[in-house]
């Protein structure tokens, strides 16, 4: 008698067919990329509008959904402290822009919606490998530890040194989907010490439930006593939506991406033209109902 | 009928949250309000003895009591520093103390901006009854209040008018750095004030601890005279940009209770710590320990 309503309530907890649940594709939800060499600063040609096309130690990988929806995945890698400032860059697929809502917008503005279904997001964390609680390639962890004070009260100790800025420069935040993320770690007095970086999955693209991303580590300057990050935007790493080269079950459905990213990096006029010619790839064009 | 009953029952509901409000008195010895201040000549300039040292005199005044920071901590550490200090968590970075992880805290008097750039980081609430008391105090310690042109402000009404213009206020009731005083003098000559520590996570056996941030007197740089070490001068508080004026109002650092050893300096007064077993207690926190160089 009592069990029927209880069962009815429990049915509400079934998430198997949840439309918001990513599809389990066979692409691993946790991966480790091994040790990345720190790329020399002189490979960054323009400090204020940098791009990186060298082969250096940029790695591409992909992340899928876990079988257990309660588990969070991510990609980890290591680098060795140089004694200087090291900048970590991670670019998740794909590109992100905001359609211009101004009724007077012209071709120099974004006239198409971003296709949000192909965008994923991962958040950067990093610090000394000794503090990392995860098992690389098996399960992700954190850079936190617990301190129990003399009264028996637990407090969290934070060892994350990778402090990213949000979209628009918001301090101590992570930019959103499709947008590259960067942080700088000062490795002074820690030459030869190993650091771990974690790109923790925040969201998988809706279209294929597989998040492609690119990562790299670079030397950067120290001025006036603090590390200076170079500017990173969508065009720093190219073709991050390519399928991971080592992960099994790679998807090959991003053939359009290099052309779209080229158009994006050329500016709104080229992107508008690309979207006009490829209506299935971008979002809807502006209409009078858009604003 | 039923809804009225629910309302009544709601008033009886005990959530049993660990957060409590703790109140009591904080006591400062008379010596905490006593400092050597410079003896000035008729022009307000410093005077010197034959050896070239600044001539000073002893002065006792509750206006010399800076902001008092109080916190609830797991225990007191009497080993790591030259003064009693809350127990710290692990030291992670060399030369930076460990986090004390306070359960809660409060202040008696807080750093406030008193309209003029020259008074940044030098005025606490609850120490001055009126504008004249501020002008007199800073004149006494050898750094008269000046306006943005460098002219001495010697009229309380000028001070008041400038504040009204600056804050767009219309009455002294809106000015937080003048009014009722926090500290009163006791019969034994010491000074006491009430404190109210709201929403502290209560742990039986925890310790209440605190310190008074004494103003810098006879500072190396004249413009630092009367400054509080717990105040962030460069980028604290609101930024002010008005014609040729560009500065920050100054404001307290945000980790004073977590890393108090970073801020405790010579002439500050520190508590030995009081253990509290019940939230119903009204502990008296005595800041009896003077920090010496």
């Amino acid at each position: 008698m009592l069990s029927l309503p209880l069962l009815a309530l429990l049915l509400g907890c079934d998430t198997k067919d949840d439309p918001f649940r990513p599809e389990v594709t066979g692409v691993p939800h946790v991966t480790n990329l091994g040790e990345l060499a720190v790329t020399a600063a002189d490979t960054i040609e323009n400090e204020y509008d940098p791009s990186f096309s060298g082969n250096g130690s940029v790695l591409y990988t992909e992340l899928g959904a876990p079988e257990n929806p309660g588990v969070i995945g991510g990609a980890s890698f290591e680098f060795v402290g140089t004694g200087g400032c090291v900048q970590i860059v991670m670019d998740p697929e794909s590109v992100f822009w905001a359609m211009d809502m101004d009724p007077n917008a012209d071709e120099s503005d974004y006239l198409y919606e971003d296709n949000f279904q192909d965008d994923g997001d991962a958040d950067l964390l990093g610090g000394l490998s000794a503090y990392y609680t995860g098992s690389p390639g098996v399960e992700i962890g954190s850079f936190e530890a617990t301190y129990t004070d003399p009264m028996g009260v637990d407090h969290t100790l934070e060892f994350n040194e990778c402090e990213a800025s949000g979209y628009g420069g918001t301090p101590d935040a992570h930019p959103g989907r499709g947008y590259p993320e960067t942080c700088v770690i000062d490795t002074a007095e820690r030459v030869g010490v190993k650091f771990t970086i974690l790109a923790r999955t925040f969201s998988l693209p809706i279209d294929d439930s597989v998040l492609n991303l690119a990562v790299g580590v670079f030397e950067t300057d120290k001025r006036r006593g603090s590390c200076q990050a170079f500017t990173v935007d969508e065009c720093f790493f190219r073709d991050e939506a390519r399928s991971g080269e080592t992960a099994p079950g790679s998807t090959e459905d991003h053939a359009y991406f290099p052309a779209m990213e080229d158009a994006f990096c050329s500016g709104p006029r080229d992107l508008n033209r690309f979207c006009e010619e490829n209506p299935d790839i971008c979002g809807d064009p502006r209409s009078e109902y858009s604003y | 009928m039923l809804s009225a009953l629910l309302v009544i029952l709601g008033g009886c509901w005990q959530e049993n949250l660990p957060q409590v409000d703790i109140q009591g008195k904080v006591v400062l010895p008379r010596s905490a309000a006593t400092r050597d201040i410079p003896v000035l000549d008729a022009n307000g300039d410093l005077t010197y003895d034959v050896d070239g040292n600044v001539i000073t005199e002893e002065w006792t005044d509750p206006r010399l009591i800076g902001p008092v920071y109080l916190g609830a901590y797991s225990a007191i550490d009497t080993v790591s520093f030259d003064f009693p200090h809350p127990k710290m968590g692990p030291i992670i970075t060399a030369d930076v103390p460990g986090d004390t992880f306070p359960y809660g805290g409060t202040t008696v008097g807080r750093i406030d901006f008193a309209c003029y750039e020259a008074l940044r980081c030098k005025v606490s609430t609850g120490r001055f009854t009126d504008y004249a008391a501020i002008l007199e105090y800073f004149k006494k310690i050898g750094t008269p209040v000046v306006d943005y042109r460098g002219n001495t402000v010697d009229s309380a009404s000028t001070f008041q008018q400038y504040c009204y213009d600056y804050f767009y206020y219309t009455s002294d009731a809106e000015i937080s750095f003048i009014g009722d005083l926090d500290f009163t003098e006791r019969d034994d000559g010491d000074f006491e004030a009430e404190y109210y520590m709201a929403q502290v996570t209560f742990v039986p056996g925890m310790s209440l601890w605190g310190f008074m941030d004494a103003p810098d007197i006879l500072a190396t740089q004249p413009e630092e005279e009367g400054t509080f070490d717990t105040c962030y001068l460069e980028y604290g508080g609101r930024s002010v940009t008005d014609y040729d004026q560009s500065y920050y109002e100054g404001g307290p650092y945000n980790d004073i209770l977590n890393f108090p050893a970073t801020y405790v300096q010579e002439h500050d007064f520190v508590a030995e710590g009081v253990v509290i077993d019940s939230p119903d207690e009204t502990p008296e926190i005595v800041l009896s320990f003077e920090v010496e160089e």
Side-chain angles (χ1 to χ4, degrees), chain B residues 137-206:
Chain B
Y137 167 79
F138 283 100
K139 193 173 180 182
K140 186 90 176 170
I141 65 171
T143 176
V145 177
V146 294
D147 65 14
Y148 68 95
R149 294 191 183 91
N151 297 324
T152 302
V153 179
D154 49 17
S155 158
S157 59
T158 301
F159 196 164
Q160 181 193 46
Q161 186 58 52
Y162 190 80
C163 287
Y164 283 12
D165 286 347
Y166 181 84
F167 286 119
Y168 298 103
Y169 287 168
T170 56
S171 91
D172 288 350
E174 298 178 274
I175 304 283
S176 48
F177 55 83
I178 57 171
D180 294 337
L181 301 180
D182 288 333
F183 282 91
T184 55
E185 189 172 347
R186 306 199 308 191
D187 292 340
D188 61 3
D190 291 346
F191 293 90
E192 70 175 26
E194 306 275 348
Y195 69 83
Y196 188 83
M197 209 180 284
Q199 296 294 292
V200 179
T201 301
F202 187 78
V203 182
M206 68 183 188

Side-chain angles (χ1 to χ4, degrees), chain A residues 120-181:
Chain A
D121 188 14
D123 293 338
L124 277 181
L125 299 166
L128 290 172
S129 298
Y131 290 141
Y132 184 54
T133 61
S135 299
V138 179
E139 63 176 359
I140 69 160
S142 70
F143 294 89
E144 293 176 345
T146 299
Y147 158 68
T148 304
D149 72 22
M151 301 304 296
V153 178
D154 288 342
H155 305 276
T156 300
L157 300 174
E158 178 64 57
F159 296 108
N160 173 45
E161 296 183 54
C162 177
E163 294 177 355
S165 299
Y167 182 67
T170 312
D172 198 18
H174 299 280
R177 63 189 180 205
Y179 202 78
E181 188 162 331

Side-chain angles (χ1 to χ4, degrees), chain B:
Chain B
M1 186 75 171
L2 183 63
S3 58
L5 184 63
L6 283 172
V7 169
I8 293 167
L9 284 172
C12 301
W13 177 251
Q14 292 294 325
E15 292 183 277
N16 293 318
L17 296 174
Q19 280 74 36
V20 300
D21 297 347
I22 299 170
Q23 49 195 317
K25 284 183 177 171
V26 59
V27 177
L28 276 161
R30 190 168 185 79
S31 53
T34 304
R35 298 290 294 275
D36 288 335
I37 61 164
V39 174
L40 307 174
D41 64 17
N43 297 322
D45 295 327
L46 300 175
T47 54
Y48 299 89
D49 62 18
V50 289
D51 297 324
N53 299 317
V54 175
I55 300 173
T56 61
E57 63 180 347
E58 199 174 87
W59 184 44
T60 301
D61 192 292
R63 287 175 290 184
L64 288 164
I65 299 172
V68 174
Y69 300 91
L70 302 173
Y73 297 96
S74 62
I76 301 299
D77 173 359
T78 56
V79 176
S80 301
F81 301 95
D82 294 334
F83 53 87
H85 183 276
K87 193 81 176 173
M88 298 181 290
I91 294 172
I92 295 163
T93 306
D95 303 325
V96 177
D99 195 325
T100 58
F101 296 107
Y103 301 145
T106 189
T107 67
V108 180
R110 61 171 172 80
I111 292 165
D112 203 7
F113 180 64
C115 312
Y116 291 109
E117 182 183 0
L119 290 179
R120 295 186 302 153
C121 292
K122 295 182 179 181
V123 172
S124 170
T125 60
R127 304 294 182 269
F128 302 96
T129 51
D130 51 30
Y131 302 99
I134 298 175
L135 296 178
E136 186 202 36
Y137 167 79
F138 283 100
K139 193 173 180 182
K140 186 90 176 170
I141 65 171
T143 176
V145 177
V146 294
D147 65 14
Y148 68 95
R149 294 191 183 91
N151 297 324
T152 302
V153 179
D154 49 17
S155 158
S157 59
T158 301
F159 196 164
Q160 181 193 46
Q161 186 58 52
Y162 190 80
C163 287
Y164 283 12
D165 286 347
Y166 181 84
F167 286 119
Y168 298 103
Y169 287 168
T170 56
S171 91
D172 288 350
E174 298 178 274
I175 304 283
S176 48
F177 55 83
I178 57 171
D180 294 337
L181 301 180
D182 288 333
F183 282 91
T184 55
E185 189 172 347
R186 306 199 308 191
D187 292 340
D188 61 3
D190 291 346
F191 293 90
E192 70 175 26
E194 306 275 348
Y195 69 83
Y196 188 83
M197 209 180 284
Q199 296 294 292
V200 179
T201 301
F202 187 78
V203 182
M206 68 183 188
S207 299
L208 303 183
W209 178 91
F211 74 100
M212 184 273 286
D213 180 13
D216 292 342
I217 304 285
L218 293 168
T220 313
Q221 301 294 326
E223 64 271 16
E224 293 175 3
E225 207 74 60
T227 301
F228 298 118
D229 298 312
T230 51
C231 188
Y232 188 23
L233 188 68
E234 287 80 12
Y235 296 109
R238 301 184 305 176
S239 74
V240 179
T241 306
D242 187 18
Y243 294 102
D244 59 340
Q245 296 185 82
S246 180
Y247 61 88
Y248 280 80
E249 290 181 346
Y253 287 94
N254 60 11
D255 58 357
I256 296 168
L257 289 179
N258 292 73
F259 301 94
T262 309
Y263 303 102
V264 171
Q265 303 284 332
E266 185 186 11
H267 298 305
D268 291 353
F269 277 70
V270 171
E272 305 270 358
V274 185
V275 173
I276 175 170
D277 294 311
S278 162
D280 298 326
E281 294 177 35
T282 54
E284 186 174 274
I285 306 172
V286 183
L287 309 186
S288 57
F289 191 100
E290 182 177 4
V291 178
E292 296 174 353
E293 193 175 12

Side-chain angles (χ1 to χ4, degrees), chain A residues 46-254:
Chain A
N46 184 342
E47 180 186 356
Y48 300 104
D49 185 19
S51 61
F52 185 76
S53 54
N55 291 321
S57 58
V58 178
L59 289 183
Y60 295 82
T61 189
E62 58 184 6
L63 293 163
E67 291 279 353
N68 181 346
V71 172
I72 297 174
S76 59
F77 58 93
E78 295 84 40
F79 73 89
V80 175
T82 60
C85 298
V86 175
Q87 182 163 353
I88 298 97
V89 182
M90 184 272 302
D91 189 2
E93 69 169 311
S94 134
V95 299
F96 164 81
W97 71 85
M99 185 175 68
D100 199 308
M101 302 297 284
D102 184 348
N104 298 317
D106 59 22
E107 280 120 26
S108 63
D109 302 304
Y110 294 114
L111 301 179
Y112 285 79
E113 283 183 342
D114 176 30
N115 174 12
F116 60 87
Q117 305 227 3
D118 67 354
D119 296 330
D121 188 14
D123 293 338
L124 277 181
L125 299 166
L128 290 172
S129 298
Y131 290 141
Y132 184 54
T133 61
S135 299
V138 179
E139 63 176 359
I140 69 160
S142 70
F143 294 89
E144 293 176 345
T146 299
Y147 158 68
T148 304
D149 72 22
M151 301 304 296
V153 178
D154 288 342
H155 305 276
T156 300
L157 300 174
E158 178 64 57
F159 296 108
N160 173 45
E161 296 183 54
C162 177
E163 294 177 355
S165 299
Y167 182 67
T170 312
D172 198 18
H174 299 280
R177 63 189 180 205
Y179 202 78
E181 188 162 331
T182 187
C183 69
V184 184
I185 294 179
D186 188 350
T187 68
E189 299 178 24
R190 294 183 287 184
V191 180
V193 178
K194 194 172 271 192
F195 289 79
T196 295
I197 301 297
L198 172 67
R200 187 176 59 192
T201 306
F202 186 83
S203 68
L204 300 173
I206 296 170
D207 62 357
D208 63 358
S209 297
V210 175
L211 171 61
N212 294 272
L213 54 86
V215 294
V217 286
F218 303 87
E219 285 180 355
T220 186
D221 296 337
K222 184 181 245 182
R223 293 180 213 144
R224 293 186 294 278
S226 61
C227 293
Q228 305 292 310
F230 53 78
T231 307
V232 169
D233 62 15
E234 180 57 53
C235 307
F236 186 77
F237 287 148
R238 292 302 184 93
D239 198 14
E240 74 274 8
R242 72 169 72 172
S243 299
E245 293 170 344
T246 55
S250 298
T251 51
E252 298 290 349
D253 56 352
H254 295 112

